[in-house]
Amino acid sequence: MFTIPVRVCGDYWANPEEVQALLDSVAGQDSIVLDLQAEGPSLCTLGVTDMIDSYCQKYHIDPKTIFITGWSNGAESVNYSLTHPHFTSHFFAYSENYWIKNLPLDTHQYVFGYFIGRRTIPRAVIMHYLYHTYGSKNLLSCLRTNMDHPWRGPGTGVNIEHIDKWITQDQQQEFVEWWDTDPIDSLDGHYIWDQYHPGANTNYDLAKRYHQFDIELVAESYTRGETFFPTEKTVRPIMAAKPMIVFGPARFLERLRLLGFKTYSDVWDESYDQLEGPARWQAIRKIIDLIMQMDTESRRSLILESKKIAQQNRQHLAKIIKLNDT
């Protein structure tokens, strides 16, 4: 068997040229194993299935003889054979590493919390909006990095998100210049690569601040196509009993409910879960604006109702990871 790494990072496929070259070198003479390295993209949306299907047709190969390993997407069906799939996200079990036994009382200092690591165009657009529209009313943080912003990223690979789909051309210069100033720092001084360092518990350091705000705005890693791979971005607020609104792929909340979690349709409009991309963000923005414009009493009542759901979700997560002490 010949193993080919498929390198993806969120909704970005970094090495299609390498994969195509390796397929051409095999030329139907050996079995192919595509290694997704525990990532959870939509293979159809990124164009991986198109490439593999063309390969199978060219060399008259049964797609079932193509093997996929290390794929963390339980939502999408493909015609290939799966080995060692990760359909249950390992991020649920990993939450035990930053579990806070006794959560402090909420201070209601901020309304929303929004925290990003790797920059993507959607995440950057959301941050720009929160900062310029509501300023210091929300708790914002960006992990430090020396990587290029995605609108200046490499011209290679398959990148689903393009700045023109998110920002009109007359607004792009101001947006780019604002981000060039590195306007939002990390609350804890962490860098993106600290997430992968065993000695740096970035999730715990961030979770210690969760009593300061009321609702988390989550921007997931995989947001396009048929995909469902909840990362620490979703699991962390569940652990901390924090209500959340999720920028992710369509039907993300629906699939969370299938795992036994409860979402917030009784408190705010969750019809945004039928959408993806800019349309999903526009629907989420309406919810944010509605909550931000509430008077204090109305907003506290909404937070109280949503907090009851969040507490139930924390208890359900504890059961999933078999943690007795919640």
Side-chain angles (χ1 to χ4, degrees):
M1 285 191 173
F2 189 84
T3 300
I4 298 177
V6 179
R7 308 185 197 283
V8 295
C9 188
D11 299 314
Y12 171 64
W13 180 16
N15 69 329
E17 295 86 357
E18 177 189 13
V19 173
Q20 184 65 69
L22 291 171
L23 287 171
D24 291 341
S25 71
V26 175
Q29 299 304 306
D30 200 352
S31 298
I32 295 293
V33 180
L34 299 177
D35 185 2
L36 270 295
Q37 304 173 321
E39 297 294 341
S42 165
L43 300 183
C44 295
T45 301
L46 286 178
V48 177
T49 54
D50 288 342
M51 182 180 291
I52 300 304
D53 289 347
S54 295
Y55 174 82
C56 291
Q57 292 172 11
K58 181 177 181 180
Y59 295 102
H60 308 288
I61 293 172
D62 182 352
K64 287 296 183 183
T65 65
I66 303 292
F67 295 90
I68 307 289
T69 190
W71 190 30
S72 299
N73 181 3
E76 188 170 67
S77 297
V78 293
N79 294 324
Y80 320 123
S81 297
L82 305 182
T83 64
H84 306 101
H86 302 279
F87 289 160
T88 301
S89 174
H90 61 276
F91 286 101
F92 289 113
Y94 186 75
S95 65
E96 188 171 359
N97 294 329
Y98 55 86
W99 195 276
I100 296 177
K101 180 179 179 182
N102 297 308
L103 295 175
L105 294 175
D106 291 336
T107 63
H108 308 290
Q109 184 177 352
Y110 303 97
V111 181
F112 285 95
Y114 180 58
F115 318 112
I116 66 173
R118 180 177 51 86
R119 310 318 189 243
T120 67
I121 290 173
R123 291 176 184 175
V125 167
I126 294 169
M127 184 67 77
H128 181 269
Y129 180 78
L130 292 174
Y131 180 89
H132 285 87
T133 308
Y134 297 110
S136 61
K137 294 180 181 179
N138 298 311
L139 185 62
L140 309 176
S141 182
C142 295
L143 290 176
R144 295 173 179 175
T145 181
N146 57 6
M147 299 170 62
D148 282 338
H149 293 308
W151 43 90
R152 292 201 179 98
T156 58
V158 176
N159 193 349
I160 298 172
E161 302 293 359
H162 300 280
I163 194 169
D164 289 342
K165 296 179 181 178
W166 286 86
I167 306 174
T168 59
Q169 288 192 349
D170 61 304
Q171 296 175 322
Q172 288 179 17
Q173 182 176 350
E174 181 276 328
F175 174 84
V176 168
E177 289 177 351
W178 181 75
W179 271 105
D180 282 346
T181 66
D182 288 325
I184 311 294
D185 198 8
S186 166
L187 289 170
D188 305 302
H190 282 303
Y191 289 80
I192 286 179
W193 47 85
D194 290 340
Q195 300 175 97
Y196 313 104
H197 192 287
N201 196 336
T202 56
N203 287 303
Y204 181 75
D205 288 344
L206 193 55
K208 288 189 297 184
R209 298 177 180 270
Y210 270 47
H211 65 286
Q212 296 177 295
F213 64 93
D214 294 322
I215 304 168
E216 180 156 6
L217 181 57
V218 173
E220 264 295 352
S221 294
Y222 294 98
T223 67
R224 290 295 194 137
E226 286 294 315
T227 176
F228 181 64
F229 181 39
T231 69
E232 81 286 350
K233 303 165 193 66
T234 293
V235 179
R236 191 175 55 230
I238 293 176
M239 180 285 299
K242 192 60 56 178
M244 62 183 179
I245 299 170
V246 183
F247 179 80
R251 300 175 61 199
F252 185 89
L253 301 181
E254 176 185 332
R255 290 177 170 122
L256 267 184
R257 291 193 293 271
L258 291 175
L259 295 178
F261 295 101
K262 184 176 173 61
T263 61
Y264 299 89
S265 59
D266 292 342
V267 187
W268 50 70
D269 182 7
E270 286 191 332
S271 62
Y272 73 85
D273 195 44
Q274 301 303 311
L275 307 170
E276 68 172 25
R280 189 181 183 98
W281 162 235
Q282 292 301 325
I284 287 174
R285 194 172 76 173
K286 291 179 181 178
I287 302 170
I288 294 171
D289 292 343
L290 178 65
I291 294 172
M292 293 299 299
Q293 292 164 13
M294 285 180 172
D295 60 73
T296 301
E297 183 177 350
S298 297
R299 188 161 60 229
R300 288 290 171 86
S301 177
L302 176 143
I303 297 304
L304 181 62
E305 290 303 309
S306 64
K307 188 72 174 179
K308 294 176 184 176
I309 298 171
Q311 293 283 5
Q312 294 175 23
N313 286 339
R314 173 178 162 92
Q315 294 169 7
H316 183 63
L317 175 60
K319 292 178 182 178
I320 288 177
I321 66 175
K322 296 179 172 58
L323 187 69
N324 294 322
D325 190 356
T326 62

